[in-house]
C-alpha cells in the first residue's frame, strides 16, 4: 500500500520505529573525507529524514550496518571466554536498488556458504530495508547492465516528490502506523533507472583463461594497492582478526573482526614467508574475476552489482567497469590456450 507523508509526519514515523531499531542511512559528513577540506557521504545513524542524503550516491556502502568496521566477537581472560552482546536494537537500513541486491550477495557468503556466520546472522535477522528510489543514474553506475536497477524485496520504499515523501510499504505494522500519519493513501511505485551512461559487457565465453592475459600488467604500476576499492564495495566481505590485550601477559583481552582487502600487501601471505599475489596486476585480476566469474560459477549470479563506487573512489583513476570491458579482448588474446 502507498502513502504520502509530510516531512513532519515522516519524522514522527521515524521516531516511532527508533523505539526498537537503529536507523542507518547515507549522511553527509562535512570535512569527513579522505583529503583535507573534503566531505563524504557515508552511513550513520539518523534521527530525522532531513539527515538522509537522498539525491547523491554515498561513497561508502550500507554494509557497515550489517558488518561493523570493528566488531568485538568475544572477550577472553586466562580461563574464560565470553561472547560479545548482540546489538540491543534491530537495524533499519536505507539503501538503493543495487545495494539491496548486494544484501543477497552478503547473505550468500555469510549465511548460505557453509555454516552461517553467527555474528552476521544476529544483526541480519533483525534488519529491515528501506529502498531509496533512483530518479536518475549517477555517472559511474552500471546497474542496468548488471540487472540490479530494480528491487522489490524491500520493507518500505521512499521517494521525495513535490514536497511529500512517497512510500510503498510491505510491513504490516509499519503500514498501520503510516495509515495514521499520511496525507493520503495512493499507489506508489519506487523510481528506478532504465539507462546508465556507463556500460559493461561481460563476454559470454569468459572463463579462467582470462587470467593468463596481458591486460592485467598495466595495473602493476597504475595501482598503488591502497585497498579503497574494496572498502567501498558493498559486496567485498573479507575480514581479518585483531586481538587487543588488556594485560601485559597477553592473556586478557578481546578479539575483533575488521575488514581486509585483497588489494593490499600481506593479504595472501602464508606461513614460510610466501605470498600468492605479489604484483598489483595479479591482485586486480583476482578481484575482477572474482566479481564477474568465480562467484557466478558457484552462485549463478554476478557478485558485482554495478554501483560504480570503486570507480569513483580510486585515487589512480583505475576503472573497474573499463577493466571488465577489456575482458573480451583478454579472451581473444588467450583464445587458443589450453585450460
Ligand atoms: S585499484 Fe585503485 S582503489 Fe583499488 S587498490 Fe588500486 S589504486 Fe587503490
Ligand atoms: S566491484 Fe565496484 S561496481 Fe561492483 S559492486 Fe563492488 S564497488 Fe560496486
Amino acid at each position: 500500500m502507498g502513502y504520502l507523508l509530510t516531512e513532519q509526519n515522516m519524522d514522527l514515523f521515524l521516531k516511532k520505529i527508533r523505539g526498537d531499531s537503529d536507523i542507518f542511512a547515507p549522511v553527509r559528513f562535512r570535512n569527513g573525507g579522505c583529503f583535507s577540506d573534503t566531505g563524504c557521504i557515508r552511513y550513520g545513524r539518523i534521527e530525522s529524514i532531513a539527515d538522509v542524503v537522498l539525491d547523491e550516491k554515498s561513497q561508502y556502502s550500507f554494509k557497515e550496518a550489517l558488518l561493523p568496521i570493528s566488531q568485538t566477537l568475544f572477550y577472553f581472560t586466562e580461563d574464560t571466554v565470553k561472547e560479545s552482546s548482540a546489538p540491543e536494537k534491530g537495524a533499519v537500513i536505507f539503501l538503493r536498488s543495487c545495494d539491496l541486491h548486494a544484501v543477497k550477495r552478503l547473505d550468500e557468503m555469510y549465511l548460505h556458504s557453509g555454516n552461517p556466520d553467527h555474528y552476521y546472522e544476529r544483526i541480519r535477522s533483525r534488519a529491515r530495508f528501506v529502498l531509496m528510489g533512483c530518479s536518475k543514474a549517477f555517472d559511474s553506475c552500471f546497474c542496468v547492465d548488471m540487472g540490479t536497477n530494480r528491487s522489490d524485496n524491500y520493507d518500505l520504499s521512499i521517494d521525495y516528490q513535490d514536497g511529500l515523501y512517497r512510500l510503498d510499504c510491505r510491513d504490516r505494522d509499519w503500514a498501520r502506523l503510516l495509515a495514521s500519519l499520511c496525507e493520503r493513501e495512493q499507489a506508489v511505485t519506487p523510481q528506478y533507472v532504465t539507462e546508465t551512461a556507463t556500460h559493461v559487457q561481460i563476454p559470454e565465453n569468459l572463463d579462467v583463461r582470462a587470467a593468463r592475459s596481458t591486460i592485467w600488467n598495466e595495473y602493476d604500476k597504475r595501482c598503488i594497492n591502497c585497498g579503497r576499492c574494496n572498502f567501498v564495495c558493498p559486496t567485498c566481505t573479507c575480514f581479518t582478526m585483531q586481538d587487543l590485550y588488556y594485560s601485559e601477559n597477553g592473556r586478557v583481552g578481546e578479539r575483533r573482526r575488521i575488514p581486509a582487502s585483497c588489494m593490499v600487501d600481506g593479504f595472501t601471505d602464508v606461513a614460510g614467508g610466501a605470498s600468492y599475489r605479489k604484483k598489483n596486476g595479479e591482485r586486480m585480476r583476482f578481484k575482477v574475476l572474482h566479481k564477474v566469474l568465480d562467484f557466478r560459477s558457484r552462485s549463478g549470479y554476478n557478485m558485482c552489482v554495478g554501483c560504480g563506487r570503486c570507480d569513483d573512489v580510486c585515487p589512480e583513476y583505475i576503472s573497474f567497469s573499463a577493466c571488465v570491458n577489456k575482458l573480451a579482448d583478454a579472451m581473444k588474446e588467450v583464445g587458443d590456450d589450453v585450460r
Side-chain angles (χ1 to χ4, degrees):
M1 179 55 82
Y3 306 92
L4 271 52
L5 264 72
T6 61
E7 180 172 341
Q8 193 179 23
N9 283 348
M10 193 66 214
D11 277 346
L12 285 176
F13 171 69
L14 295 182
K15 190 174 177 187
K16 284 275 187 191
I17 64 175
R18 276 209 320 275
D20 66 0
S21 298
D22 285 322
I23 307 175
F24 297 91
V27 173
R28 188 181 307 281
F29 289 82
R30 296 195 191 282
N31 296 316
C34 292
F35 305 107
S36 66
D37 297 330
T38 60
C40 83
I41 301 170
R42 60 181 167 80
Y43 273 71
R45 285 181 177 79
I46 59 138
E47 300 203 341
S48 162
I49 194 67
D51 297 336
V52 184
V53 179
L54 282 172
D55 56 355
E56 291 178 56
K57 180 159 62 175
S58 62
Q59 278 109 42
Y60 292 82
S61 81
F62 71 92
K63 75 179 174 187
E64 292 154 19
L66 293 177
L67 294 164
I69 291 173
S70 177
Q71 184 178 31
T72 300
L73 305 184
F74 55 82
Y75 302 89
F76 53 88
T77 64
E78 302 255 346
D79 48 14
T80 61
V81 174
K82 181 180 173 295
E83 183 187 325
S84 63
S85 306
E88 280 178 16
K89 292 182 172 183
V92 171
I93 303 171
F94 282 57
L95 74 189
R96 296 186 186 280
S97 175
C98 58
D99 283 346
L100 199 43
H101 282 269
V103 174
K104 180 178 172 183
R105 277 79 176 155
L106 299 190
D107 287 352
E108 176 66 26
M109 288 177 272
Y110 275 90
L111 299 179
H112 309 311
S113 302
N115 292 330
D117 182 279
H118 171 67
Y119 298 95
Y120 177 81
E121 192 174 37
R122 69 185 192 181
I123 298 178
R124 175 69 178 89
S125 63
R126 297 177 65 204
R128 283 178 287 182
F129 299 101
V130 180
L131 172 70
M132 301 190 297
C134 293
S135 59
K136 60 170 187 179
F138 302 98
D139 288 348
S140 58
C141 299
F142 53 99
C143 54
V144 177
D145 290 346
M146 300 309 288
T148 60
N149 55 319
R150 284 191 81 170
S151 294
D152 53 14
N153 55 339
Y154 51 81
D155 297 287
L156 183 72
S157 77
I158 182 167
D159 285 280
Y160 183 71
Q161 272 180 331
D162 303 326
L164 290 173
Y165 290 93
R166 303 162 66 89
L167 313 170
D168 182 40
C169 185
R170 297 178 172 192
D171 179 291
R172 207 176 292 169
D173 293 337
W174 284 0
R176 267 196 294 273
L177 188 53
L178 289 168
S180 69
L181 292 169
C182 72
E183 295 301 294
R184 60 180 185 276
E185 296 186 10
Q186 178 181 308
V188 170
T189 304
Q191 291 182 290
Y192 62 94
V193 298
T194 55
E195 185 52 64
T196 58
T198 300
H199 287 281
V200 295
Q201 200 161 18
I202 302 167
E204 279 181 17
N205 66 341
L206 181 64
D207 63 32
V208 290
R209 286 173 296 167
R212 299 200 195 119
S213 165
T214 54
I215 66 163
W216 311 109
N217 297 346
E218 78 168 89
Y219 304 106
D220 285 345
K221 286 203 172 70
R222 286 186 67 198
C223 174
I224 56 169
N225 56 62
C226 62
R228 292 179 80 186
C229 47
N230 294 126
F231 294 122
V232 299
C233 177
T235 65
C236 276
T237 53
C238 290
F239 60 80
T240 186
M241 296 297 179
Q242 196 175 56
D243 284 348
L244 297 184
Y245 303 117
Y246 303 159
S247 65
E248 281 188 7
N249 68 7
R251 292 184 179 172
V252 181
E254 65 185 81
R255 174 162 295 181
R256 291 182 182 179
R257 167 151 92 179
I258 58 171
S261 158
C262 59
M263 298 300 288
V264 305
D265 288 341
F267 183 80
T268 59
D269 287 357
V270 292
S275 185
Y276 287 112
R277 293 184 291 275
K278 284 190 180 139
K279 292 181 177 174
N280 295 337
E282 293 171 335
R283 297 172 190 180
M284 185 74 178
R285 181 204 72 211
F286 171 80
K287 180 186 72 178
V288 172
L289 292 183
H290 188 44
K291 298 283 182 194
V292 297
L293 176 66
D294 303 339
F295 181 86
R296 175 157 46 94
S297 66
R298 284 199 298 271
S299 312
Y301 49 91
N302 286 307
M303 186 175 174
C304 172
V305 294
C307 73
R309 288 189 179 95
C310 52
D311 285 13
D312 295 335
V313 81
C314 178
E316 301 300 309
Y317 304 108
I318 290 170
S319 165
F320 175 88
S321 51
C323 184
V324 170
N325 286 331
K326 291 178 189 167
L327 292 174
D329 285 342
M331 287 308 296
K332 275 191 203 132
E333 180 193 343
V334 299
D336 296 328
D337 275 12
V338 181
R339 277 186 203 214

